[in-house]
């Protein structure tokens, strides 16, 4: 790694980031377009394939998870207008945000209660399909409800699926792998909440606990898995399948926008604010949205002030070669889903020209937004998910945000813009933990 002085010369924003202050970093390489780096061969067709795969599994999901029946076996979440929250943000934080504000409630996704029910579950299903086809358990054209029978469970029971997680990824991978019959092992970092470990164990998942952070849990899990030829490791930092599972969200969102008669075009820009941990979820969704809407969609990530790994990786150009600890941050945050010190290099490179920018947010603000949303809309989100509101609060309410609008010819169109705060988790949080969150006030 180069020294910190050279880094901050290259990316002056890192001076403020190091100091732990909230920033809006505008990506200087943003082009508005949808081009993918030449060495990463992913296309809109790959997203369509992932979408079809999820459709094939719908009969299985309906059998094993009755809560998916209402949506015919698709794992999808509501898109809800939150005008009372919008008013609250404008009044309480002088956000000055015109247009409309919507909430994409991945907090309420079936099975795992977080955005990880997209990528995580998709990757487990893809692995199951690969094994089943390879070993003749499934023939092309078979109905996938077959995978819920005893013979299939026995078959998958001789294989292991492992993952390293701060909590939510482990929940989605663990629950789905166990439901198929796999031996599931989740390696949990120190940030993971106890109730998530308890819930997983109640589903027959093996939970390994580490005193260290996320990267260490991943490292341990990966080496244990690599030592076992019948074990598959879900690699959040490098997985293309995970990324594509998340990207499917964009196609689903476009259908929901059409149903609400919301246009996304040259006169009607769409702004999307996505909480970011290692980058897979927000990156996959951004990739998907760019394929559909090109320069008319503006995607911003949001990270905690102490764990802005994607910002540090992208602004420095060093991606996974740098961690937040390298520039003197702790990596510690109440936003357990975002407590990641080192970003995915795959995602950082994919985002090089697609991502508009990044906001950082103090932990204290997350609890304010949590209470604001509960009071105005009666919707509960976990702290990590509340990071999304930093975008609507600071886009028009900051100098950098106004510069983005001016430089991209949006100053006048902003009156007609639609903003989506992507709510990434919360519906499975137990009542006593909700109560603890509601009563948390932080100075920082
Ligand atoms: C994992 C997670 C994110 C971010 O996803 P990454 O793929 O790690 O960037 C955001 N919010 C919640 C609640 C999460 O669990």
């Amino acid at each position: 790694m180069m020294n910190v002085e050279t880094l901050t010369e290259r990316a002056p924003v890192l001076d403020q980031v190091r100091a732990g202050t909230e920033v809006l970093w505008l990506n200087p390489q943003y082009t508005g377009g949808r081009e993918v780096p030449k060495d990463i061969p992913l296309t809109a067709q790959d997203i369509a394939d992932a979408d079809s795969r999820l459709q094939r599994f719908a009969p299985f999901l309906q059998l094993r998870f009755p809560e998916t029946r209402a949506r015919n076996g698709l794992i999808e979440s509501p898109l809800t207008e939150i005008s009372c929250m919008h008013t609250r943000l404008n009044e309480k934080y002088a956000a000055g945000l015109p247009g409309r504000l919507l909430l994409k409630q991945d907090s309420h996704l079936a099975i795992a209660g977080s955005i990880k029910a997209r990528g995580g579950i998709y990757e487990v299903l893809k692995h199951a399909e690969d094994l089943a086809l390879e070993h003749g358990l499934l023939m092309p054209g078979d109905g996938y409800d077959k995978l819920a029978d005893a013979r299939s469970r026995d078959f998958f029971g001789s294989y292991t699926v492992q993952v390293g997680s701060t909590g939510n990824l482990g929940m989605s991978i663990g629950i789905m792998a166990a439901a198929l019959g796999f031996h599931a092992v989740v390696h949990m970092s120190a940030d993971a909440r106890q109730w998530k470990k308890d819930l997983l164990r109640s589903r027959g998942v093996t939970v390994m606990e580490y005193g260290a952070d996320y990267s260490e849990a991943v490292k341990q899990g990966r080496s244990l898995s690599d030592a076992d030829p019948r074990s598959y490791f879900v690699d959040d930092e490098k997985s293309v399948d995970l990324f594509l599972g998340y990207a499917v969200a964009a196609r689903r969102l476009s259908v929901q926008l059409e149903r609400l008669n919301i246009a996304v075009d040259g006169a009607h820009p769409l702004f999307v604010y996505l909480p970011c941990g290692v980058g897979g979820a927000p990156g996959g969704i951004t990739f998907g949205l760019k394929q559909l809407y090109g320069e008319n969609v503006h995607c911003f990530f949001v990270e905690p002030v102490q764990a802005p790994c994607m910002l540090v990786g992208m602004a420095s150009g060093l991606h996974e070669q740098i961690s937040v600890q390298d520039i003197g941050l702790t990596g510690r945050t109440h936003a357990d889903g975002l407590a990641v010190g080192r970003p995915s290099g795959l995602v950082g490179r994919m985002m090089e020209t697609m991502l508009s920018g990044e906001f950082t947010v103090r932990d204290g603000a997350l609890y304010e937004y949590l209470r604001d949303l509960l009071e105005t809309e009666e919707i509960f989100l976990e702290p990590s998910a509340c990071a999304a509101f930093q975008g609507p609060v600071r886009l028009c309410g900051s100098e950098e945000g106004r510069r983005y609008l001016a430089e991209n010819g949006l100053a006048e169109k902003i009156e007609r813009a639609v903003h989506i705060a992507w709510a990434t988790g919360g519906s499975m949080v137990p009542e006593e933990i909700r109560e603890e969150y509601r009563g948390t006030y932080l100075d920082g």
Side-chain angles (χ1 to χ4, degrees), residues 114-116 168-169 236 246 275-282 337-338 340 382 384-385 424-425:
S114 83
I115 196 166
K116 303 297 193 310
N168 286 338
L169 184 66
D236 200 14
Y246 288 123
C276 176
V278 73
L338 315 181
V340 180
E382 62 184 272
S384 298
T424 47

Side-chain angles (χ1 to χ4, degrees), residues 72-124:
N72 297 320
L74 287 197
I75 303 168
E76 198 40 72
S77 73
L79 177 65
T80 313
E81 182 145 21
I82 47 169
S83 44
C84 296
M85 179 67 167
H86 191 175
T87 304
R88 168 72 62 100
L89 297 182
N90 281 342
E91 286 174 354
K92 182 170 167 185
Y93 306 99
L97 188 78
R100 295 168 73 179
L101 178 62
L102 278 66
L103 189 70
K104 180 60 177 156
Q105 288 178 268
D106 278 6
S107 47
H108 293 69
L109 281 176
I111 301 173
S114 83
I115 196 166
K116 303 297 193 310
R118 297 185 183 280
I121 287 178
Y122 173 75
E123 178 150 0
V124 173

Side-chain angles (χ1 to χ4, degrees), residues 146-219:
K146 195 175 161 183
L147 297 178
D149 68 19
R151 185 169 160 250
S152 302
R153 284 190 64 83
D154 281 352
F155 169 78
F156 290 124
S158 66
Y159 293 93
T160 302
V161 171
Q162 310 200 44
V163 66
S165 173
T166 62
N168 286 338
L169 184 66
M171 295 247 287
S172 83
I173 303 268
I175 292 171
M176 185 52 64
L180 280 154
F182 284 108
H183 176 218
V185 185
V186 176
H187 303 266
M188 289 280 202
S189 66
D191 313 277
R193 302 288 308 224
Q194 189 60 42
W195 68 267
K196 294 181 183 173
K197 301 176 194 169
D198 296 342
L199 188 146
L200 282 174
R201 288 185 174 126
S202 79
R203 305 278 181 109
V205 175
T206 304
V207 177
M208 310 275 280
E209 301 179 61
Y210 299 90
D213 76 353
Y214 170 76
S215 301
E216 190 58 28
V218 169
K219 206 164 112 193

